[in-house]
């Protein structure tokens, strides 16, 4: 029975109960009362939902666990959106691993540091003092990034580095008496460089982000700042970001800091370049802290034709950094598996490694490989993510001799902190800040892992939030988002389409995992998404689970490209919502000064300049597919990218085929809480409008519905095709 059925039954029961008191109001009047009650309920604001967009936005995220030297405590950081201040609150906690006491909040973690181009929160590694009394961490507070330390007993926190430049990295001395840290250009030097550009004019070269504003057009570390390309694809940062590291050391007893001679700077972590040249380039490296052994992930020996990389990696160990003779793990969990994290269990011969199982919807498992005996044992078999962070699925869990501490999250289970006994492999929940939401998800919008094959026999997986159809004769519409479905699925990759909310509102929602192989050929890579959507719609419709004539689709990044590709090459999608760009001539023009961009575009998209490869441009760019894009499209774009999509977005808006919103100061993945909530709610409104014919009566939304009704009217008129043909 759906929520609407339950409501109707309760309301009808109350109507019947009232009849005796009202002298028998009659069946007709009873029905009127019932329908009025239902109408009033349906018209209630989104906040009355059980799984509302705001609840999904305000999930408490967990990450960066680190175990104390004595193995008795774990420190970790929480992160939660604050709509009132349009930011995120972070805090550091300490908790006993035996869970005999709740977590103790020991410090404010400051506003989270972010990747400049993606908008994702950066990991925030922390270090315990050797005596276990202090926790050291990097934080942005009071307008600067510094190293802080907090007392493990919660008695207070203090800033350790008071530097004119923001701290990039730090290392605690072995005895805990000194702290070494690195900085780049000072904050005043960065401001001066920005002012010089403003006064003297910005010199246009390959470092300038031409798609964004030229002066302080992006939020970098909490302030309006000028950004620049750093050379690798779309990697960006502030002006002077390439200034070399300057290392300093602070005496933790006196607080006095001084410059560190170059000869004394800390050794850098091992990289693939430090290993023998005759070894394949290692994808990950983990060195034991007590001897010279090194665990490595090496590229698999077999790479299918047309793939960018080998699908699998090999786990091996080297006796030292100079050896070119790895000893490989031969256990079944090591063979042709997707291995991500690797780390040594302290004081042992065991390497812990994480396997992601794509056949099980990207569920993660952790194994231990004893490099002396060759024995591989299972430690954790999770149903979803089991890592050191919900946001960064490839960050390792915290590890000690006896325990693992990990963030567990699955499609319909928000993040919680768990501890694993490495001897018995028993799991226990340490901290579950989202427990109420977890219970409500299970009762209202549980997820179901589904598998299916397309016409070529390729197998896909996805997480389906099935809507409760109120009438079995009229199955619900379907929304799909394509790319990856890791951890707790608020809104798919990029968190823009609140899947559980859609399901609660009567639209089944499906997150589809892309096939793990990365095809170099653009058409082959993108057409797998179209095939996945067409095949799953056919399958679910045949089972009567969805209405195959009402299908929405959305995506971020590669998912956005696949959404537009599917619209252009299939009629399966009824309405779409995208948040990222696809290749256009303007996209090429604004980035064409950068060799790294041109190289990657040619390799991965098979595109040169538009005049150089015109046939390929006509094949893949939405600019040349306007007449094929017949489904209405909602663009919700970040300010840093939207200009590069105007080649196709503006013509579609003129044709009443699209509506567009641009969010200021946003990167590839939007991060401002108010923007996230607006995107969530508008996507719910959009798909309810096109797939259910529903309009939210809230007065503040009148203008958006006016535009969408005009789009619907234009699409239904005989002149629509003529307008599309002449480009008006």
């Amino acid at each position: 029975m759906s929520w609407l059925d339950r409501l109707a039954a309760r309301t009808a029961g109350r109507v019947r109960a009232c009849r005796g008191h009202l002298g028998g109001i009659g069946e007709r009047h009873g029905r009127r009362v019932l329908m009025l009650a239902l109408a009033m309920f349906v018209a209630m604001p989104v906040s009355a939902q059980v799984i509302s967009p705001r609840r999904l936005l305000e999930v408490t995220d967990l990450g960066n666990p680190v175990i104390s030297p004595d193995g008795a405590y774990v420190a970790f950081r929480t992160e939660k959106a604050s709509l009132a201040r349009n930011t995120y609150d972070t805090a550091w906690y300490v908790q006993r691993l035996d869970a005999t006491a709740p977590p103790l909040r020991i410090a404010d973690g400051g506003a989270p540091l972010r990747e400049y181009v993606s908008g994702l929160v950066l990991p925030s590694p922390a270090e315990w003092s050797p005596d276990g009394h202090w926790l050291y961490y990097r934080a942005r507070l009071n307008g600067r990034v510094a190293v802080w330390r907090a007392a493990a007993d919660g008695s207070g926190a203090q800033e350790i580095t008071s530097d004119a430049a923001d701290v990039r990295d730090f290392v605690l001395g072995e005895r805990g008496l000194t702290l070494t840290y690195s900085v780049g250009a000072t904050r005043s030097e960065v401001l001066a460089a920005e002012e010089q550009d403003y006064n003297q004019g910005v010199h246009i070269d390959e470092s300038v982000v031409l798609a964004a504003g030229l002066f302080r057009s992006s939020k970098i570390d909490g302030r309006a700042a000028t950004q620049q390309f750093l050379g690798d694809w779309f990697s960006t940062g502030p002006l002077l970001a390439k200034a070399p590291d300057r290392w300093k050391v602070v005496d933790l007893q006196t607080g006095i800091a001084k410059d560190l001679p170059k000869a004394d700077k800390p050794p850098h972590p091992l990289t693939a370049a430090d290993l023998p040249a005759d070894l394949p380039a290692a994808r990950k490296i983990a060195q034991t802290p007590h001897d010279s052994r090194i665990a490595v992930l090496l590229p698999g020996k077999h790479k299918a034709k047309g793939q960018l990389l080998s699908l699998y990696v090999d786990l091996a160990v080297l006796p030292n950094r100079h050896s070119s003779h790895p000893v490989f793990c031969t256990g079944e969990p090591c063979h042709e598996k997707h291995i991500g994290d690797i780390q040594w269990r302290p004081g042992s011969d065991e390497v812990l490694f994480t396997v992601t199982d794509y056949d099980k919807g990207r569920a993660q498992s952790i194994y231990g490989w004893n490099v002396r005996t060759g024995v591989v044992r299972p430690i954790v078999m999770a149903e979803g993510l089991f890592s050191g962070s919900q946001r960064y699925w490839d960050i390792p869990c915290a590890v000690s001799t006896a325990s693992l501490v990990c963030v567990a999250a699955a499609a319909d289970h928000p993040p919680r902190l768990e501890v694993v006994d490495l001897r018995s492999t028993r799991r226990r929940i340490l901290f579950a800040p989202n427990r109420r939401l977890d219970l409500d998800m299970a009762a209202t919008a549980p997820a179901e892992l589904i598998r299916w094959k397309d016409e070529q026999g390729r197998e896909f997986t996805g997480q389906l939030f099935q809507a409760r159809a109120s009438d079995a004769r009229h199955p619900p519409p379907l929304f799909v988002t394509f790319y990856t479905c890791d951890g707790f699925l608020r809104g798919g990759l990029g968190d823009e389409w609140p899947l559980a909310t859609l399901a609660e509102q009567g639209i089944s929602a499906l997150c589809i995992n892309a096939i793990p192989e990365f095809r170099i050929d653009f058409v082959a890579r993108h057409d797998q998404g179209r095939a996945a959507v067409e095949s799953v719609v056919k399958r679910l419709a045949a089972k009567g689970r969805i209405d195959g004539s009402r299908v929405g689709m959305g995506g971020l990044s590669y998912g956005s490209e696949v959404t537009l590709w599917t619209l252009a090459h299939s009629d399966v999608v009824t309405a779409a919502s995208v948040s990222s760009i696809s290749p256009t001539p303007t996209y090429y023009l604004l980035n064409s000064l950068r060799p790294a961009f041109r190289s990657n575009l040619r390799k991965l998209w098979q595109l040169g300049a538009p005049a150089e490869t015109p046939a390929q441009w006509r094949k893949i760019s939405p600019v040349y597919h306007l007449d094929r894009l017949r489904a209405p499209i909602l663009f919700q774009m970040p300010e840093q990218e939207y200009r590069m999509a105007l080649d196709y977005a503006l013509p579609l808006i003129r044709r009443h085929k699209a509506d567009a919103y641009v969010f200021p100061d946003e990167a590839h993945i939007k991060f401002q809480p108010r923007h996230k909530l607006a995107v969530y709610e508008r996507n719910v409104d959009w798909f309810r409008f096109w797939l259910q014919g529903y309009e939210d009566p809230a007065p503040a939304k009148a203008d958006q519905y006016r535009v969408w009704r005009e789009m619907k009217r234009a699409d239904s008129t005989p002149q629509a095709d003529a307008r599309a043909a002449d480009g008006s």
Side-chain angles (χ1 to χ4, degrees), residues 335-618:
H335 181 64
E336 293 192 345
K337 296 293 189 297
H338 300 276
I339 302 175
D341 306 326
I342 53 172
Q343 57 183 328
W344 290 88
R345 179 182 175 186
S348 77
D349 297 315
E350 193 169 47
V351 174
L352 307 181
F353 63 98
T354 302
V355 174
T356 300
D357 191 336
Y358 284 82
D359 292 334
K360 295 181 179 178
R362 300 174 69 95
Q364 292 185 318
S365 301
I366 298 177
Y367 297 87
W369 171 41
N370 188 303
V371 300
R372 288 193 182 276
T373 66
V375 172
V376 177
R377 66 185 181 107
I379 297 172
V380 174
M381 310 296 285
E383 63 173 336
L385 176 145
F386 208 78
S387 180
S389 168
Q390 158 68 19
R391 294 298 195 183
Y392 279 80
W393 58 268
D394 59 345
I395 292 178
C397 302
V399 61
S400 68
T401 301
S403 303
L404 271 177
V405 177
C406 309
V407 177
D412 53 359
H413 295 293
R416 64 182 183 270
L417 202 67
E418 292 194 16
V419 60
V420 183
D421 186 297
L422 285 172
R423 296 183 180 88
S424 68
T425 70
R426 186 170 65 92
R427 293 167 58 178
R428 287 183 292 107
I429 295 176
L430 275 180
F431 183 43
N434 305 298
R435 183 174 180 273
R436 173 50 57 187
L437 177 60
D438 199 348
L439 294 173
D440 287 344
M441 291 281 290
T444 307
E448 172 192 353
L449 176 64
I450 64 172
R451 299 182 183 85
W452 70 98
K453 292 182 180 180
D454 67 4
E455 293 182 351
Q456 297 183 32
R458 295 176 295 192
E459 187 170 67
F460 294 89
T461 64
Q463 298 286 351
L464 176 65
F465 295 79
Q466 179 72 42
R468 276 29 177 241
S470 57
D471 185 349
R473 296 171 300 174
H474 299 93
L478 175 70
F479 168 79
V480 299
T481 183
F482 179 84
Y483 199 173
T484 62
C485 312
D486 296 308
F488 180 54
L489 294 178
R490 279 156 272 211
L493 182 68
D495 288 345
E496 299 222 352
W497 302 270
L499 304 178
T501 303
L502 287 168
E504 187 181 355
Q505 294 300 305
I507 300 173
S508 292
L510 173 64
C511 181
I512 301 175
N513 286 305
I515 294 174
E517 64 182 31
F518 187 92
R519 310 297 297 184
I520 294 176
D521 180 80
F522 177 95
V523 173
R525 188 167 72 247
H526 288 67
D527 208 50
Q528 68 153 291
R530 175 204 56 78
V533 174
E534 286 187 340
S535 56
V536 78
V537 168
K538 182 178 180 180
R539 178 177 184 267
L540 293 175
K543 292 178 176 289
R545 299 189 65 175
I546 59 106
D547 179 352
S549 67
R550 294 183 293 157
V551 177
M553 185 174 181
L556 171 101
S557 196
Y558 173 44
S560 283
E561 294 180 11
V562 168
T563 297
L564 293 182
W565 178 267
T566 301
L567 263 62
H569 296 85
S570 172
D571 59 2
V572 68
V573 176
T574 309
S577 166
V578 297
S579 60
S580 303
I581 57 175
S582 290
T584 68
T586 298
Y587 165 78
Y588 181 86
L589 178 66
L590 292 177
N591 294 283
S592 58
L593 288 180
R594 299 189 292 120
F597 169 83
R598 298 195 305 271
S599 174
N600 277 301
L601 198 68
R602 185 173 295 278
K603 181 177 183 179
L604 302 179
W605 280 262
Q606 296 81 58
L607 290 173
E612 182 184 1
T613 55
Q616 184 72 351
W617 276 100
R618 286 194 297 271

Side-chain angles (χ1 to χ4, degrees), residues 112-132:
L113 301 174
R114 297 184 177 277
E115 283 187 345
Y116 302 125
V117 63
S118 73
L120 287 171
V121 175
L122 287 168
S124 183
E127 287 193 46
W128 285 88
S129 62
D131 59 11

Side-chain angles (χ1 to χ4, degrees), residues 192 214 242 249 277:
L214 296 180
K242 293 183 179 180
V249 60

